[in-house]
Amino acid sequence: MAPFLPFLMSAMSLGVINLLIFLASAVIITIPVFATRGRTQAIWAAVSGSILLIEAAVLVTLVVLTGQGKIFS
């Protein structure tokens, strides 16, 4: 399938795709934060924030490695 999608292998296009993935997962993951109140809300916010931080680090690393040509080249 990779030969059919060469335009998706650049760092810019991968960055846009990752941004859409991150925004969608941020909305889905933070639903419990807005559905609770008090201490439970703070716990959900901490867990959601940690998950989103890890996800962002992985996605940025993927874009950087793609831009350097180490993967998807």
Side-chain angles (χ1 to χ4, degrees):
M1 184 167 180
F4 300 113
L5 300 172
F7 58 91
L8 293 178
M9 297 302 157
S10 70
M12 179 65 77
S13 61
L14 190 61
V16 171
I17 292 169
N18 286 344
L19 177 65
L20 295 174
I21 291 170
F22 182 77
L23 290 175
S25 64
V27 168
I28 293 169
I29 289 174
T30 56
I31 288 173
V33 177
F34 299 116
T36 57
R37 294 286 177 251
R39 183 179 301 197
T40 310
Q41 186 178 24
I43 293 170
W44 274 111
V47 170
S48 299
S50 300
I51 292 171
L52 290 174
L53 178 67
I54 293 168
E55 180 184 4
V58 168
L59 293 176
V60 167
T61 303
L62 183 64
V63 170
V64 168
L65 291 175
T66 301
Q68 292 177 351
K70 297 194 180 199
I71 56 175
F72 300 134
S73 58

